[in-house]
Amino acid sequence: MIDWLEIKQFVIAEHIELEFERGFTTVTGETGSGKSLLVDAIGILLGHRSGNSYIRHNHNTAELQASFALPPRHPCLHWLEQHGMANDNECLLRRVIRRDKSSKGYINGHAATASQLRDLGKDIVDIHGQNEHHSLLKKSVQQMLLDGAADNIERVAELGDGCHAINSIQKQIDRLNDQSQAAQERADLLKFQIEELNELAPSADDWLSLENQHKRLNHQQELSAGAHAAATILHQSEEHNLSGQLIQCGLQLQQLSQFDERLKPIAKMLDEAQVNIEEAASQLRPFYQDNEIDDAEMESIEARFSLYHTLSRKHRLLPQLLADHLEAMQRELSGLKDPQRQLARLNEQLQTESDKYRRIAAKVSARRHKSARRLASEVTTLMQNLGMKGGRFDILLIPTESGIHTRFGNESVEFVVAANPGQPLQSLSKVASGGELSRISLGIQVVLANNTPAPTLIFDEVDVGIGGEVANVVGQKLKELGTSNQVICITHLSQVAAKGDHHFSVSKQGRKLKSGSKFGPKSGHGHDHEQVEATAVKLGAEQRVTEIARMTAGEKITKQSLAQAQEMLKSA
């Protein structure tokens, strides 16, 4: 339940601080006094959208905070524990609205997002707004209300996820089936191209070796002549070969080294050079001996070399990249050969998701049917006391087409009503007048409120459009709700206000501000400026009599209206 609420610089309220108690609390005040700003403040604390319009004029921030006492084992206690925000059984919510900046939220002193405030707040306070009877005409709202009463919200969310998964898999299956012809044509082309490349059996190393062989064979005569000429200079010439000349030079320096030992290492280098020349000449010999070209080998190499170039031009690749291209085509063909396996896998996934969807949908349907019967009976009973004697309310569950998966399961939901005896059940939008619709909506909200996990229920002028004995019934029903929940009702009906265990009055008045003061106008010439301010006070016994008399008779309160107010309070 809400222990206390504090509001600073919010709309037309400068500072309001209220302490709430258990039971049924009513909030009254003249039209436009600011009653609903209390509900707006609580809504924003629970994560509803905020904005500049909520900040009091000439201020840059508005601050809201409230303390909630949670009963033992309440689901919010587990939520707070999971998020590291627990503080015994207390939940302190705070929100700062900043002009032209994002708002800041806090849970038990920990920074929190608006999403976290909403997630936590949905089980702390249940707010029923004054315009809900209009939204009640929408089938999506009817479905949501029924599923809320049936504790189906999480399961319906799972149905939405399952429906999305089923549709996604089905699209993949359809796409594969549509592409089968094109895939077959592509597979035939790939098979042909792969066969061509497999005849070549390309590899990067093979191309490098083949390229070297091709160069060697095409320049065999040049290689032979050059190698022979070099060998002749190095060793084979009888008159002038380098080997012989180095031998002579070495011997001469060796003899001279007896006069200067510095010549010994030089002589040694010449000896080593002569040995290297002999070895080089020996290794050149195969290049000019046995230099006959093997025509068969040449033809084979030429053919393979030409095939490399032909296929590289065909595939628009460098020859050394053909091997990688072959692997890529083989992988692609493998994928194209796999559509049946892929289709089988997708169909298996589709079957799994469909089975899961059907299981969840069956549970949702069972809960809907059970809750629909109970809600229809309870709302019909309540209608008898809301000025619709003989009226009936029912909830139709209309099966969807077989084999169709929707986000909401196996059926759509429609609320139907017969406002008078003898009339057939018809859609709300067709048979309910504005007054009847507001009463039916109120009846549904009262019935649903009995099933909410939220310990605090707020009704914001839900009694619009009713009066007389019906208003007495509404007040009594809300009072009954207050025995098990904390109920706060913003009302304009004296019959409802009289039933309250506690009573707050909201009013507004102007206060004068001097020009140039902190909250006065930006410009002026010394004249006073009036600023409207909302206040809220808890009423004592005598004050309640006066307030209910005002609600009954208007501003001109008479002895008769005061006596009537006293009687209403006594009866309550």
Side-chain angles (χ1 to χ4, degrees):
M1 57 170 273
I2 302 178
D3 280 336
W4 53 264
L5 169 69
E6 185 176 17
I7 298 170
K8 293 181 180 178
Q9 313 305 345
F10 183 73
V11 195
I12 59 173
E14 181 175 358
H15 186 195
I16 293 177
E17 189 168 0
L18 301 175
E19 292 187 4
F20 293 92
E21 299 179 60
R22 298 180 182 278
F24 179 33
T25 298
T26 59
V27 180
T28 63
E30 295 182 0
T31 301
S33 62
K35 300 186 295 297
S36 289
L37 69 80
L38 301 180
V39 180
D40 292 337
I42 294 171
I44 290 174
L45 282 169
L46 300 175
H48 295 186
R49 185 182 296 277
S50 63
N52 290 344
S53 61
Y54 289 104
I55 301 174
R56 186 166 164 79
H57 181 61
N58 282 337
H59 289 78
N60 291 320
T61 61
E63 185 173 345
L64 312 168
Q65 58 180 338
S67 176
F68 299 84
L70 300 173
R73 295 184 295 280
H74 191 273
C76 287
L77 294 174
H78 179 63
W79 189 99
L80 291 168
E81 189 72 36
Q82 278 188 321
H83 290 79
M85 299 178 181
N87 183 24
D88 295 328
N89 286 359
E90 184 185 21
C91 178
L92 179 63
L93 302 184
R94 178 170 169 255
R95 199 157 182 196
V96 180
I97 307 169
R98 304 182 296 171
R99 193 174 297 280
D100 299 324
K101 293 181 181 179
S102 59
S103 66
K104 288 185 175 181
Y106 302 89
I107 299 174
N108 284 338
H110 300 273
T113 64
S115 176
Q116 287 177 314
L117 289 169
R118 283 193 298 273
D119 194 26
L120 175 66
K122 70 181 188 297
D123 289 332
I124 295 180
V125 177
D126 194 1
I127 299 177
H128 299 264
Q130 56 184 304
N131 293 318
E132 289 193 17
H133 60 282
H134 295 300
S135 62
L136 190 61
L137 298 176
K138 300 177 182 177
K139 289 186 178 181
S140 58
V141 173
Q142 297 172 7
Q143 176 261 320
M144 183 181 66
L145 288 173
L146 177 59
D147 282 327
D151 195 21
N152 265 340
I153 300 299
E154 290 186 8
R155 288 184 176 85
V156 172
E158 290 178 17
L159 285 179
D161 293 340
C163 182
H164 176 74
I166 289 169
N167 290 337
S168 177
I169 295 170
Q170 189 60 58
K171 285 179 181 178
Q172 294 181 62
I173 292 172
D174 294 342
R175 186 167 58 249
L176 278 176
N177 287 328
D178 291 342
Q179 293 174 349
S180 60
Q181 183 60 39
Q184 186 58 51
E185 293 174 0
R186 176 64 178 164
D188 291 342
L189 175 62
L190 287 172
K191 287 177 184 178
F192 174 75
Q193 292 178 333
I194 288 171
E195 286 178 5
E196 276 188 326
L197 285 173
N198 277 335
E199 289 181 13
L200 177 64
S203 73
D205 292 341
D206 176 58
W207 165 251
L208 183 61
S209 173
L210 182 66
E211 191 176 33
N212 289 334
Q213 285 180 300
H214 188 266
K215 288 179 183 178
R216 177 176 59 79
L217 290 174
N218 275 285
H219 298 85
Q220 182 68 34
Q221 291 183 345
E222 295 172 55
L223 288 169
S224 178
H228 186 267
T232 299
I233 293 171
L234 293 174
H235 182 72
Q236 292 182 358
S237 174
E238 294 182 0
E239 298 180 358
H240 304 290
N241 65 75
L242 286 178
S243 179
Q245 291 176 1
L246 285 173
I247 291 172
Q248 290 178 5
C249 289
L251 290 173
Q252 186 176 4
L253 291 176
Q254 189 67 35
Q255 290 174 357
L256 291 173
S257 67
Q258 61 184 322
F259 306 117
D260 190 339
E261 290 190 353
R262 290 179 298 173
L263 293 173
K264 282 185 177 180
I266 299 174
K268 185 177 180 181
M269 284 190 288
L270 292 176
D271 285 342
E272 291 173 353
Q274 189 272 330
V275 171
N276 286 332
I277 285 174
E278 289 285 346
E279 179 63 26
S282 173
Q283 291 189 20
L284 284 171
R285 194 170 295 117
F287 285 88
Y288 56 85
Q289 292 179 352
D290 303 326
N291 62 344
E292 293 183 6
I293 297 175
D294 186 334
D295 292 337
E297 181 185 9
M298 183 65 183
E299 184 177 343
S300 173
I301 291 173
E302 280 287 354
R304 187 167 179 76
F305 191 79
S306 176
L307 184 56
Y308 258 104
H309 278 286
T310 299
L311 292 175
S312 68
R313 285 193 300 271
K314 182 175 182 179
H315 294 278
R316 298 180 181 180
L317 296 168
L318 294 173
Q320 59 266 38
L321 299 178
L322 285 174
D324 290 340
H325 184 55
L326 174 59
E327 290 183 8
M329 289 196 297
Q330 288 170 333
R331 285 195 299 271
E332 184 182 357
L333 180 61
S334 177
L336 291 173
K337 285 180 176 178
D338 209 26
Q340 293 306 318
R341 279 190 296 231
Q342 194 173 357
L343 277 170
R345 186 171 62 253
L346 287 171
N347 280 313
E348 185 176 341
Q349 292 176 6
L350 182 64
Q351 187 64 47
T352 299
E353 289 292 341
S354 297
D355 289 344
K356 179 181 177 182
Y357 178 93
R358 281 191 289 271
R359 286 195 301 272
I360 297 172
K363 292 179 181 178
V364 167
S365 293
R367 285 174 172 264
R368 280 177 179 164
H369 280 86
K370 182 177 179 181
S371 292
R373 288 191 296 270
R374 177 176 56 80
L375 288 177
S377 174
E378 292 181 11
V379 173
T380 296
T381 300
L382 194 53
M383 286 172 65
Q384 313 310 308
N385 297 320
L386 292 175
M388 289 182 282
K389 288 283 186 182
R392 290 180 298 144
F393 175 82
D394 203 356
I395 300 175
L396 301 183
L397 298 177
I398 305 166
T400 57
E401 186 178 342
S402 178
I404 299 297
H405 300 95
T406 73
R407 293 170 45 237
F408 304 112
N410 295 336
E411 57 276 314
S412 60
V413 177
E414 184 176 9
F415 289 0
V416 292
V417 66
N420 299 294
Q423 291 181 338
L425 291 166
Q426 295 188 62
S427 173
L428 281 179
S429 60
K430 292 181 179 179
V431 299
S433 65
E436 289 170 339
L437 184 60
S438 64
R439 280 178 280 166
I440 293 169
S441 173
L442 181 58
I444 292 172
Q445 291 179 57
V446 169
V447 169
L448 292 178
N450 283 307
N451 300 279
T452 180
T456 297
L457 308 173
I458 296 177
F459 294 88
D460 183 14
E461 296 194 15
V462 296
D463 48 15
V464 172
I466 64 174
E469 183 55 33
V470 173
N472 275 322
V473 173
V474 170
Q476 186 58 40
K477 291 297 179 184
L478 294 176
K479 187 176 182 68
E480 290 172 8
L481 280 176
T483 61
S484 57
N485 298 79
Q486 182 189 48
V487 177
I488 300 171
C489 178
I490 315 295
T491 182
H492 68 285
L493 295 176
S494 57
Q495 299 97 318
V496 174
K499 295 289 195 299
D501 301 312
H502 320 284
H503 191 158
F504 287 96
S505 175
V506 179
S507 61
K508 68 177 180 181
Q509 54 272 331
R511 65 187 180 99
K512 291 183 178 180
L513 299 174
K514 292 292 186 182
S515 176
S517 69
K518 181 178 179 182
F519 303 117
K522 298 293 183 182
S523 62
H525 302 284
H527 61 273
D528 292 342
H529 171 69
E530 188 171 74
Q531 187 177 41
V532 173
E533 181 179 339
T535 59
V537 295
K538 186 173 183 179
L539 301 181
E542 291 185 7
Q543 292 170 311
R544 287 193 73 188
V545 172
T546 302
E547 174 65 5
I548 291 174
R550 181 200 63 78
M551 296 176 72
T552 303
E555 292 301 324
K556 191 175 181 179
I557 300 176
T558 64
K559 290 183 179 180
Q560 183 180 0
S561 61
L562 287 170
Q564 184 181 1
Q566 288 177 327
E567 183 61 31
M568 290 173 67
L569 287 167
K570 184 179 179 181
S571 297

